[in-house]
Amino acid sequence: MEQLMMKRLAILICAFSILTISMADEPAGTPQFKSAFMRVALSADQPAFTVLTVDSLGTKKLEKNSLRSPVKSDKVYEVRRAGRRFEYRFAGAPTSAPVWSFEFSERQVQLHSSYSPGNPPPPLLLDINPHVSRGTLLGLFNDDGTIRLPALLHLPNLGTFRLTSARGSGPALGYDALRHKDKAQRVNDFVKVTIPGASAATPNVDYTLEVVDIYPGSAQLAKDPRFDGFRRDWLEILQLSPQHRALANHAASDVCAFTLFEYSAVAARTPPLAPGLTALDLIRQTLDRYLGGMKAYGIANYVPNSGLPWDFADTYPSLLIAASDYVQGSKDDVWLKKNYPRLKHWATTMLAMDREGIGLIEYPESGNSGTWDKKFSTHAANWWDDIGFGYLDAYSNALAYHSLVGMAELARRANQRADAELYAGRAEKLRSVYFNTFYNSATGVLAGWKSKDGKLHDYYFTFVNGTAITYGLVPRDKAYQIMDRLLAKMKEVGYRRFEYGLPGNLIPIRRDDYLEAREEWGGGVKEDGSDGFQIYENGGATACFAYFTIQALYQLGRHKEADAILFPMLRSFEDGGFQGSAPNGRSYDWKSWDGKPYGYEGLLVDGYMTLLAVLSH
């Protein structure tokens, strides 16, 4: 009996060490809670969170507070504590039901709100500080812009709360985000999530915020700390813009049509987010916006870039790949049947870009050196928009091939046999001419583009070669030799800081092939481009598109070389090394080879596609 009592006492002591109601770093009297998975503090004078942070891995990584301080309330509240439950009532109404109560356990916050006509409860506002963590709310939009439950509150590099209600769909959550500059040109951005209180229509409302850890792969990943960055950051690539009601660079940034295929590749491998909600639902929601006519960067006459007359060459390939990923992952043939005519229109528009009938899509700009005016009156062909891609673009054509393979499958599912034969035939025609068009025998790698004057523009592009190999456009023996050349060139130029990601190009881009004149964006005055080299898209290091180089190596069986790039990046992902702002006013999504930040987004989600490579490790 004595041993049993001692054992029970030990269990209680252990539990108390995990779940604690007080912390020395908060003011005395502050209602607060801490476990290995979350840290929460509440206001002493109103129902509001003052601290909210999460560690989905349960490693007590809880130093950062994701919230800004709440605005002072014009009403007075009293708070009472009963164990792990905190109840807020209007001052002077001690016997009334609490307008809000908060109850904590190791991985959950239980919220309850009660309504009375004289004392309607205020909503709970989560005012997320994007400079700590660029949070996002992931869910499905209602027509009024609110998000229905269930949903996820994801805080990059920290973790994820799943939000549910005892009433099923429950009241919808408010969601807003914006990034703008004030008169002093200071960036002022916010992300706000509003949790409604009880109302006359719904006198009692319950919510649960539950810490969750969502990622694919084997159970062994959870036991290997090398993959902590993979597990913690898997959802990073999914950021919903409330302004556009679609997936975007981050919640307060632009939507880009040419990036959706990156998000869909990750979404297709993502476990369910909540009962009735998947990552592919977010892809469908975004596709529906594009199918409905939404403009985005990469589509002609998108408002912030209204002077640009052309759709990017990678726009329709990206949208079609995303549609294929969605349908093949969800088996949603009803959606396919409804939207097939519009998908076919996208495919027809893309195929019409093969203006000369050679099998490759063409961009209207010539891509000739020296044709760029440095004022962006015309624009390069793809995502790498500061580099002079034009005419025959190796990157966009690799995506076009992959999209045609996917469209052939969609046409078969839709019982459109003639279309399936057309898309399969055009895919094969593209593949048959791709390698000979872009292969540069002088360097032994694929060039980035072939300009209208017949010149190959080759800067040892890692992402071009990696994408082409990953998507099956290069014969295996040639692919092996190309990766030999790329890795040898990387060693020759001295790049080995894989914790920063990979440079898009390994040698400077000449001034005549670069659209930017300013050195801080990779431009400069020297003809050889060396004064802008290692900055931004002129050879700057980034996680963006590193996936394709790593994946190409894995597909070729070169695991040791792939691991040498991947694992330093995984450490950086876990350390938040690809997000946040630096003292120099730039952010860490791009760096020079000595680690100086040259990014601009604060969180550029494209880089998190790299985490897909873990599934090939």
Side-chain angles (χ1 to χ4, degrees):
M1 179 65 71
E2 184 178 352
Q3 288 180 335
L4 179 62
M5 292 296 294
M6 292 297 293
K7 184 176 180 180
R8 289 176 177 175
L9 179 60
I11 292 172
L12 289 171
I13 292 171
C14 180
F16 186 76
S17 68
I18 295 173
L19 307 175
T20 177
I21 297 291
S22 63
M23 299 187 312
D25 59 346
E26 296 296 333
T30 300
Q32 53 202 284
F33 173 83
K34 184 179 181 181
S35 74
F37 292 91
M38 62 179 168
R39 179 166 71 94
V40 182
L42 306 175
S43 172
D45 58 10
Q46 62 175 310
F49 290 98
T50 59
V51 174
L52 182 65
T53 192
V54 57
D55 178 353
S56 285
L57 307 189
T59 61
K60 301 181 181 180
K61 184 179 178 180
L62 299 167
E63 297 82 10
K64 296 179 179 180
N65 177 19
S66 68
L67 298 184
R68 290 181 168 127
S69 298
V71 176
K72 186 173 178 58
S73 174
D74 58 358
K75 296 183 178 180
V76 181
Y77 297 86
E78 296 174 347
V79 58
R80 298 178 188 171
R81 173 184 161 191
R84 298 191 187 113
R85 182 181 177 91
F86 296 90
E87 299 177 344
Y88 287 82
R89 294 173 173 81
F90 285 100
T95 61
S96 65
V99 293
W100 280 102
S101 64
F102 302 73
E103 187 166 355
F104 304 104
S105 59
E106 185 180 21
R107 300 180 68 140
Q108 289 188 350
V109 181
Q110 299 282 348
L111 305 175
H112 179 80
S113 178
S114 299
Y115 174 82
S116 63
N119 296 309
L124 299 180
L125 175 63
L126 306 180
D127 189 354
I128 299 167
N129 185 347
H131 302 288
V132 173
S133 178
R134 288 191 174 274
T136 186
L137 189 62
L138 301 177
L140 298 178
F141 285 99
N142 294 313
D143 290 342
D144 62 359
T146 58
I147 286 186
R148 56 186 179 268
L149 296 175
L152 298 185
L153 174 63
H154 180 65
L155 299 172
N157 200 233
L158 300 177
T160 310
F161 286 103
R162 180 184 290 140
L163 281 78
T164 57
S165 172
R167 296 183 61 249
S169 60
L173 305 179
Y175 182 40
D176 196 11
L178 188 65
R179 181 178 62 175
H180 67 278
K181 291 184 178 180
D182 62 19
K183 293 180 179 179
Q185 294 299 299
R186 293 171 300 193
V187 175
N188 180 15
D189 47 358
F190 64 82
V191 177
K192 296 180 180 180
V193 174
T194 304
I195 303 175
S199 64
T202 311
N204 290 281
V205 181
D206 292 283
Y207 302 94
T208 299
L209 281 72
E210 179 185 9
V211 179
V212 292
D213 187 13
I214 299 172
Y215 62 92
S218 70
Q220 293 300 115
L221 290 173
K223 301 175 183 178
D224 190 337
R226 296 179 303 167
F227 296 105
D228 283 358
F230 166 80
R231 296 169 57 209
R232 188 185 304 280
D233 294 343
W234 175 258
L235 294 178
E236 233 85 316
I237 199 170
L238 302 175
Q239 285 262 326
L240 270 183
S241 161
Q243 302 299 320
H244 299 92
R245 302 186 192 178
L247 292 166
N249 287 348
H250 60 69
S253 186
D254 292 295
V255 282
C256 299
F258 46 73
T259 63
L260 189 57
F261 83 101
E262 299 177 86
Y263 313 157
S264 66
V266 173
R269 304 296 297 273
T270 301
L273 305 180
L277 178 66
T278 70
L280 283 172
D281 290 333
L282 307 181
I283 300 299
R284 183 196 65 242
Q285 177 174 248
T286 303
L287 281 167
D288 285 344
R289 294 286 290 152
Y290 285 116
L291 289 165
M294 180 180 72
K295 296 283 188 178
Y297 191 40
I299 296 176
N301 300 314
Y302 175 53
V303 171
N305 301 278
S306 57
L308 305 177
W310 315 117
D311 296 325
F312 281 23
D314 54 347
T315 286
Y316 293 112
S318 171
L319 294 174
L320 291 170
I321 293 168
S324 177
D325 285 343
Y326 170 68
V327 172
Q328 294 190 50
S330 68
K331 307 298 188 291
D332 189 349
D333 291 324
V334 173
W335 184 90
L336 174 61
K337 182 178 180 179
K338 175 184 176 183
N339 293 289
Y340 184 82
R342 182 63 177 165
L343 299 178
K344 181 176 178 177
H345 174 73
W346 283 349
T348 301
T349 301
M350 180 184 74
L351 289 174
M353 297 174 72
D354 179 8
R355 295 176 178 85
E356 299 176 12
I358 60 176
L360 298 167
I361 64 172
E362 305 163 23
Y363 189 63
E365 297 296 334
S366 71
N368 294 346
S369 297
T371 60
W372 310 102
D373 62 7
K374 312 293 185 181
K375 299 177 182 178
F376 292 95
S377 59
T378 57
H379 215 286
N382 63 42
W383 188 101
W384 297 79
D385 53 359
D386 272 332
I387 303 174
F389 285 89
Y391 188 51
L392 300 179
D393 164 13
Y395 167 72
S396 295
N397 271 283
L399 266 60
Y401 171 77
H402 193 57
S403 73
L404 286 168
V405 172
M407 271 304 293
E409 176 59 28
L410 292 187
R412 284 189 284 270
R413 289 186 72 99
N415 200 29
Q416 301 292 323
R417 296 180 182 179
D419 288 350
E421 291 177 5
L422 170 66
Y423 300 137
R426 293 297 293 268
E428 177 56 26
K429 184 175 181 179
L430 193 160
R431 190 200 62 77
S432 70
V433 299
Y434 183 91
F435 182 80
N436 288 337
T437 300
F438 297 113
Y439 181 70
N440 184 357
S441 59
T443 62
V445 301
L446 300 174
W449 73 97
K450 187 174 185 178
S451 53
K452 190 72 173 178
D453 60 11
K455 179 183 176 182
L456 288 176
H457 299 252
D458 184 358
Y459 294 99
Y460 289 92
F461 289 111
T462 56
F463 67 95
V464 169
N465 289 272
T467 303
I469 293 170
T470 297
Y471 287 156
L473 281 159
V474 182
R476 186 175 179 86
D477 60 333
K478 299 294 185 183
Y480 208 94
Q481 293 169 17
I482 284 173
M483 294 311 295
D484 279 344
R485 293 294 183 92
L486 274 181
L487 295 177
K489 191 65 178 180
M490 204 177 294
K491 184 176 181 180
E492 176 190 324
V493 299
Y495 187 78
R496 53 183 63 87
R497 301 302 298 271
F498 299 125
E499 68 271 28
Y500 301 153
L502 287 176
N505 51 286
L506 299 178
I507 61 175
I509 296 174
R510 295 185 61 82
R511 187 176 185 275
D512 283 350
D513 278 344
Y514 205 68
L515 274 66
E516 180 59 69
R518 295 168 293 177
E519 186 176 336
E520 64 268 26
W521 292 101
V525 297
K526 293 184 178 180
E527 288 300 318
D528 66 358
S530 59
D531 49 341
F533 186 49
Q534 301 183 19
I535 298 174
Y536 193 47
E537 291 184 9
N538 189 357
T542 179
C544 297
F545 294 90
Y547 163 75
F548 288 102
T549 301
I550 300 168
Q551 180 65 18
L553 288 167
Y554 280 137
Q555 288 180 195
L556 293 170
R558 302 173 68 158
H559 285 246
K560 183 176 180 180
E561 291 155 314
D563 288 352
I565 301 171
L566 176 63
F567 282 104
M569 292 186 69
L570 289 179
R571 287 195 297 272
S572 288
F573 283 127
E574 171 62 5
D575 294 340
F578 294 106
Q579 57 186 275
S581 298
N584 68 352
R586 304 297 289 271
S587 59
Y588 295 103
D589 34 309
W590 294 85
K591 302 181 187 73
S592 57
W593 295 7
D594 61 1
K596 184 177 179 181
Y598 279 101
Y600 65 98
E601 284 281 12
L603 175 66
L604 183 56
V605 300
D606 303 56
Y608 292 85
M609 188 185 189
T610 303
L611 297 176
L612 264 178
V614 169
L615 303 180
S616 299
H617 165 69

